[in-house]
Each structure stands twice: as C-alpha cells, then as structure tokens.
Amino acid sequence: GQHAGKPAIALSRPVMVAGSSTSVRIQLRSDSVSHNRSIFLRGVDGTYFRDLVSRTHTILNGRVAREGMLRSGDTITIGTFVFHYIEA
C-alpha cells in the first residue's frame, strides 16, 4: 500500500501507544484508526501488545487479537497499516 517501504518504527520506550491522536507516540493518521488504538509494552521478556478496545480491532498474523506477546516475524495490522515485528 501507500505506506510500504516507510522507515521502521523502533519500539524504543517501555510503553508506546499507537493511534490517530496527535498525543500518541506512534501516530497513524487515518480514519481507519482509533485515537488510542493499541499499546506496546517492552520488558525483559519481550514486547507485549494490547488492543485498547478499538472499533476495528488489532489483527495479529491475520487474526483478531486483544493482546499477546510479539515474536519476530509477526505481522500486526492496525487499520490500513501493516507492520512486521522484528526483535532487535
């Protein structure tokens, strides 16, 4: 899509929120994305995500998911945005 090939987004902070609001760390400007869509929590055991009760859900590897641990190679879809998670 139109976002393909864009630079990677580093999950560099312990807590990061993705959504269409200008107050979130990962801004996804689209009508297909809720203001506060998903939260990513980075810890010693890896990166955990939780859908913040969005109207169109977060898709993990092709399935609707409320929450879960991310593994390298996972695909996360938020609205029209598709992300590929790679552990650093």
Side-chain angles (χ1 to χ4, degrees):
Q2 67 178 339
H3 308 294
K6 298 290 183 187
I9 298 171
L11 298 176
S12 57
R13 296 175 181 257
V15 178
M16 294 182 74
V17 177
S20 63
S21 172
T22 57
S23 65
V24 300
R25 178 63 60 183
I26 304 171
Q27 292 182 8
L28 307 173
R29 297 183 186 187
S30 172
D31 291 338
S32 69
V33 177
S34 301
H35 289 299
N36 295 302
R37 178 60 174 273
S38 299
I39 188 166
F40 296 89
L41 305 167
R42 198 169 53 93
V44 295
D45 294 330
T47 301
Y48 169 86
F49 90 93
R50 180 166 178 85
D51 183 275
L52 298 175
V53 194
S54 62
R55 55 186 150 82
T56 54
H57 309 292
T58 299
I59 309 296
L60 176 62
N61 298 324
R63 299 182 143 185
V64 173
R66 286 289 211 196
E67 61 187 347
M69 289 298 291
L70 295 176
R71 295 186 194 107
S72 195
D74 282 348
T75 298
I76 304 110
T77 304
I78 301 175
T80 59
F81 298 85
V82 178
F83 300 93
H84 301 284
Y85 181 74
I86 300 170
E87 291 184 31

